[in-house]
Amino acid sequence: MMADKRLTYASSGVRLESNTQFVNAIQAAMHSTYGPRVCSRNGGFAGLFRLDYDEQLFRRNYRRPLLVGCADGAGTKVLLAKQTGRLDTIGIDLVAMNVNDLITCGAEPLFFLDYLAIGTLDPAAMVTVVEGIAAGCKQADCALLGGETAEMPDLYRPGEFDLAGFSLGVVELHKAIDGRRISPGDAIIGLPSNGVHSNGYSLVRKVIAKRKLKLSAEIDELGETLSDALMRPTRIYVRPILQLLRAYKVKRVVTGMAHITGGGLPENVARALPPDCDAVLHRKRWTPPPVFSYLQRLGIAHAEMMRVFNMGIGFVVFVRPTFAEAAIRRLRRAGENPVRIGRVKRGSGQVTIK
Amino acid sequence: MMADKRLTYASSGVRLESNTQFVNAIQAAMHSTYGPRVCSRNGGFAGLFRLDYDEQLFRRNYRRPLLVGCADGAGTKVLLAKQTGRLDTIGIDLVAMNVNDLITCGAEPLFFLDYLAIGTLDPAAMVTVVEGIAAGCKQADCALLGGETAEMPDLYRPGEFDLAGFSLGVVELHKAIDGRRISPGDAIIGLPSNGVHSNGYSLVRKVIAKRKLKLSAEIDELGETLSDALMRPTRIYVRPILQLLRAYKVKRVVTGMAHITGGGLPENVARALPPDCDAVLHRKRWTPPPVFSYLQRLGIAHAEMMRVFNMGIGFVVFVRPTFAEAAIRRLRRAGENPVRIGRVKRGSGQVTIK
């Protein structure tokens, strides 16, 4: 399992050999995410996870289990994390990028594995990163089952690192959501983002460099520093979405979902649509966090903004029209602030934002 | 799913927008690995895989499924791949590093997801890499279900790339192998490696640079060029190992397994051992490929060689002594060249190589 794996790999870096603290800290972070389904195995090569609970009461959770896998990286937000020294939450971004994709099929996240590649290992810094990953896993109610830390000084510059991850989920076959049931009339409900999340950071960093912005400066318009606004970790939508899905055991009220990442609302909502439906969104229905108008005024065209950023909506749920109000109430009870942002109509897979 | 994901991410790199060829080529490589359990889903955010076959005959393959997850990277062999231009097989190395870990628990690999991070995308080169990953998946009888291609020019130098992956497998709970059943007297059977595989390349590259070796030079001692010897893809042990395990439906003949990676035989065999057993290996029983004596003569201490490289044994199987000969015959019939390299004795988790 990861901890052992890390130890093994660590031994190729001289400084690490004595650093059992690093391995112990990572092991503690991993164990903090373990539920009863994780089978711990000392000295192993892989992470083991029981699909069914062992208790008679819960056994056979899945009659026809469909496994769902996602791979994604944290993107160039890692460079901003290094620059600002904010290493504690970039792991939450990483988990979010993966599990928010996973739940679009209605899947329950089971476990996560990370890949952390670095130039030269600063053990304390990397423990902070892994603790962030564990924090993200807890928000997503999944186990950090393993991972790999690779020290590659010839590939990564000193202090720089890359972060990728893989999440595995499961959904009962007949409950899997794939967007094919989206129909004209369906309500489109948006769940707010809390800022830029983890996409568009190459553009963000370009603007910062061009305008010579100071990350630590307090920005009146934002009510916080630029670092605070830009490093805020991506929201994880696992709990409200699974609560919504579990509320309807027989009726299939949710017809589709989209995680709003690179490509923005237009591209990601389109990915969820069947070929004979259009989505019409009304952007007056929600107020994007101030960071977006701030970035736009620094010189990004509005069309580019829409295409690169989530613009305030991080996740989208398609719901049968007669259940829209009930779904919104349920999402509110789950702590969300859902907004009815649009409607599905007959069409050809297009997304219109009015 | 991956292809769509790649398209989405690709759109942040200007040159890529028109390059549907890249996406199509990757999609073709992925589809070539699909079996009947992959649920294709257009426009999706995740890859879907059915745990059970749909046919009545095969249904409920698993009564108490234990999911097994592994994450690993190709390591700095990617730098040598770039240097030699041998991009077609580094994907096989990547898959091998993961699935050879996975099968140590007795798990059947189900699917694989890759993470490919690059400075500036050269579509043709990266299609070659992904085709190698697909080739590795076919050798491992698993599906290339998805992945992520991230273009990050500020993190990776032009032409450089990193490659990581994640494999998911399944094993029936009561058939999972975790080394706890290894007992004194068990035979230790080694399966040959075909060279350096994917570990120790930082050391290999250091020696090459120090000795100013020409990678394209034909080396008499090796009977091939240094590139040929060093870029040979890692062997994938999935088929012979699963054939061996499936031959014993009731008896539990295999008590433990180890994939020999960084740390060499001493460290990896030790990882499989229970705390009350030692392993005694006899290194005269097999002949390492000539690349190892060649590297050693370039100035690597023997102890360092043992600690970094597989030294000719890529995978190790622990077998109940009365079944050792039968297991060796079965492995031979599966096309392997197994060697009885040692024996388990009472002890304290130590590995001795005589």
Side-chain angles (χ1 to χ4, degrees):
Chain A
M1 244 178 283
M2 178 170 80
D4 306 284
K5 198 67 182 286
R6 288 192 199 273
L7 183 61
T8 309
Y9 277 79
S11 59
S12 62
V14 180
R15 288 165 310 100
L16 268 182
E17 281 189 330
S18 55
N19 204 334
T20 51
Q21 271 187 306
F22 173 67
V23 174
N24 289 342
I26 279 181
Q27 229 161 0
M30 288 171 62
H31 288 170
S32 73
T33 68
Y34 283 6
R37 292 196 274 180
V38 173
C39 304
S40 211
R41 202 172 71 103
N42 291 324
F45 293 83
L48 280 75
F49 190 96
R50 228 174 252 195
L51 185 59
D52 274 332
Y53 285 97
D54 213 23
E55 295 73 40
Q56 195 63 44
L57 186 64
F58 298 109
R59 207 180 288 171
R60 287 263 178 277
N61 283 307
Y62 302 102
R63 290 162 51 92
R64 298 174 78 189
L66 192 59
L67 300 176
V68 185
C70 289
D72 211 345
T76 53
K77 194 171 182 175
V78 294
L79 291 168
L80 214 57
K82 180 209 160 198
Q83 209 179 327
T84 58
R86 305 273 183 107
L87 299 174
D88 55 332
T89 53
I90 188 73
I92 298 177
D93 289 297
L94 175 67
V95 174
M97 291 304 290
N98 281 280
V99 295
N100 289 344
D101 269 1
L102 204 66
I103 55 174
T104 60
C105 325
E108 162 201 12
L110 298 180
F111 63 77
F112 189 82
L113 298 134
D114 70 295
Y115 174 71
L116 174 51
I118 36 177
T120 315
L121 189 73
D122 169 351
M126 291 307 117
V127 166
T128 305
V129 170
V130 175
E131 284 172 348
I133 299 172
C137 287
K138 278 182 233 174
Q139 283 186 35
D141 295 318
C142 70
L144 176 54
L145 192 65
E148 161 73 356
T149 307
E151 195 177 9
M152 300 192 281
D154 298 327
L155 191 53
Y156 297 90
R157 286 173 278 256
E160 294 200 343
F161 63 97
D162 195 12
L163 204 51
F166 310 96
S167 62
L168 191 275
V170 65
V171 59
E172 186 62 43
L173 181 65
H174 75 275
K175 288 187 177 171
I177 293 167
D178 64 2
R180 276 177 300 191
R181 292 177 56 257
I182 291 176
S183 316
D186 281 2
I188 304 177
I189 298 169
L191 303 185
S193 72
N194 62 14
V196 183
H197 282 185
S198 306
N199 288 97
Y201 278 81
S202 289
L203 183 57
V204 167
R205 288 171 40 256
K206 207 185 290 174
V207 170
I208 291 172
K210 198 177 155 195
R211 298 275 170 171
K212 298 189 176 62
L213 301 177
K214 224 180 131 198
L215 286 161
S216 57
E218 182 90 24
I219 313 283
D220 275 351
E221 179 179 355
L222 303 180
E224 60 187 346
T225 66
L226 198 50
S227 292
D228 285 337
L230 292 176
M231 290 311 298
R232 180 161 296 128
T234 307
R235 296 197 58 205
I236 290 178
Y237 299 99
V238 171
R239 285 180 191 162
I241 291 301
L242 293 187
Q243 278 186 39
L244 175 66
L245 295 175
R246 284 171 186 156
Y248 299 99
K249 295 217 182 295
V250 180
K251 289 180 218 132
R252 299 184 63 191
V253 164
V254 173
T255 54
M257 286 186 270
H259 177 206
I260 312 306
T261 56
L265 279 163
E267 224 177 87
N268 288 289
V269 170
R271 283 166 76 186
L273 285 177
D276 60 347
C277 286
D278 280 0
V280 182
L281 309 181
H282 303 273
R283 68 190 176 91
K284 292 274 159 61
R285 299 225 181 131
W286 76 94
T287 311
V291 68
F292 294 111
S293 53
Y294 175 79
L295 286 171
Q296 191 168 339
R297 262 189 305 98
L298 291 173
I300 306 174
H302 177 72
E304 180 81 345
M305 293 289 299
M306 290 299 298
R307 207 182 68 97
V308 171
F309 299 114
N310 65 63
M311 298 306 284
I313 298 294
F315 200 87
V316 162
V317 188
F318 295 77
V319 179
R320 286 270 176 263
T322 46
F323 292 95
E325 281 314 310
I328 285 171
R329 278 195 306 273
R330 284 190 188 280
L331 287 165
R332 273 205 200 105
R333 277 203 298 270
E336 270 298 327
N337 197 7
V339 185
R340 196 159 173 164
I341 59 170
R343 210 173 75 88
V344 175
K345 61 169 199 170
R346 202 165 303 281
S348 58
Q350 307 298 310
V351 177
T352 314
I353 304 181
K354 288 186 174 165
Chain B
M1 246 179 282
M2 177 169 85
D4 306 285
K5 199 66 179 290
R6 289 192 197 273
L7 183 62
T8 309
Y9 277 78
S11 58
S12 63
V14 179
R15 289 165 311 97
L16 267 184
E17 283 191 326
S18 56
N19 204 334
T20 51
Q21 271 188 308
F22 173 67
V23 174
N24 289 341
I26 279 181
Q27 230 161 357
M30 288 171 62
H31 288 170
S32 74
T33 67
Y34 283 6
R37 290 195 276 178
V38 173
C39 304
S40 210
R41 200 173 72 104
N42 290 324
F45 293 82
L48 281 75
F49 190 98
R50 228 174 253 193
L51 184 59
D52 273 334
Y53 284 98
D54 212 24
E55 294 73 40
Q56 196 61 44
L57 186 64
F58 297 109
R59 210 182 282 173
R60 286 266 178 274
N61 282 306
Y62 303 101
R63 290 162 52 92
R64 300 175 76 189
L66 192 59
L67 300 177
V68 184
C70 290
D72 210 346
T76 53
K77 194 171 181 175
V78 294
L79 291 169
L80 214 57
K82 181 208 158 200
Q83 210 179 326
T84 57
R86 304 272 182 105
L87 299 175
D88 54 333
T89 53
I90 189 72
I92 298 176
D93 289 297
L94 175 68
V95 174
M97 292 304 289
N98 281 281
V99 294
N100 289 344
D101 270 1
L102 203 66
I103 56 173
T104 60
C105 326
E108 163 201 12
L110 299 180
F111 63 77
F112 189 80
L113 299 144
D114 70 295
Y115 174 70
L116 174 52
I118 37 177
T120 316
L121 189 73
D122 169 351
M126 290 309 118
V127 165
T128 304
V129 170
V130 175
E131 284 172 347
I133 298 172
C137 286
K138 279 182 234 176
Q139 282 185 34
D141 295 318
C142 70
L144 176 54
L145 192 65
E148 161 73 354
T149 306
E151 197 177 7
M152 300 192 280
D154 298 328
L155 191 54
Y156 296 91
R157 285 173 279 255
E160 293 200 343
F161 62 97
D162 195 12
L163 204 52
F166 160 76
S167 63
L168 191 276
V170 65
V171 60
E172 188 62 42
L173 180 65
H174 74 273
K175 288 188 176 170
I177 294 166
D178 65 2
R180 277 176 298 191
R181 293 177 56 256
I182 290 176
S183 314
D186 282 3
I188 304 177
I189 298 169
L191 302 185
S193 71
N194 62 15
V196 183
H197 281 184
S198 305
N199 287 96
Y201 278 82
S202 290
L203 183 57
V204 166
R205 288 171 40 258
K206 206 185 291 173
V207 170
I208 290 173
K210 198 177 154 195
R211 298 277 170 168
K212 299 189 175 62
L213 300 177
K214 223 179 131 200
L215 285 162
S216 58
E218 182 89 24
I219 313 284
D220 274 352
E221 181 179 353
L222 304 180
E224 60 188 343
T225 66
L226 199 48
S227 292
D228 285 337
L230 292 176
M231 289 310 298
R232 180 162 295 127
T234 307
R235 294 197 60 205
I236 290 178
Y237 299 100
V238 172
R239 285 181 191 162
I241 291 302
L242 293 187
Q243 278 186 39
L244 175 65
L245 295 175
R246 284 171 187 157
Y248 299 98
K249 295 216 184 295
V250 180
K251 288 179 217 130
R252 297 185 64 192
V253 164
V254 174
T255 54
M257 287 185 272
H259 177 206
I260 311 308
T261 57
L265 279 163
E267 227 177 85
N268 288 290
V269 169
R271 284 165 77 186
L273 285 177
D276 60 347
C277 287
D278 282 359
V280 182
L281 309 180
H282 303 274
R283 65 189 179 90
K284 292 275 161 61
R285 299 226 181 130
W286 76 93
T287 311
V291 69
F292 294 111
S293 53
Y294 174 78
L295 287 170
Q296 190 167 339
R297 262 188 305 101
L298 292 173
I300 306 173
H302 179 72
E304 180 79 346
M305 293 289 298
M306 291 301 296
R307 207 182 68 100
V308 172
F309 298 114
N310 65 62
M311 298 305 283
I313 299 293
F315 200 86
V316 162
V317 188
F318 294 77
V319 179
R320 286 269 176 265
T322 46
F323 291 94
E325 282 312 312
I328 285 171
R329 278 197 305 273
R330 285 191 189 278
L331 286 166
R332 271 204 201 109
R333 277 202 298 269
E336 271 298 328
N337 198 6
V339 185
R340 198 162 174 162
I341 59 171
R343 209 174 74 92
V344 175
K345 61 170 199 173
R346 202 165 303 279
S348 58
Q350 306 298 310
V351 177
T352 315
I353 304 182
K354 287 188 174 164

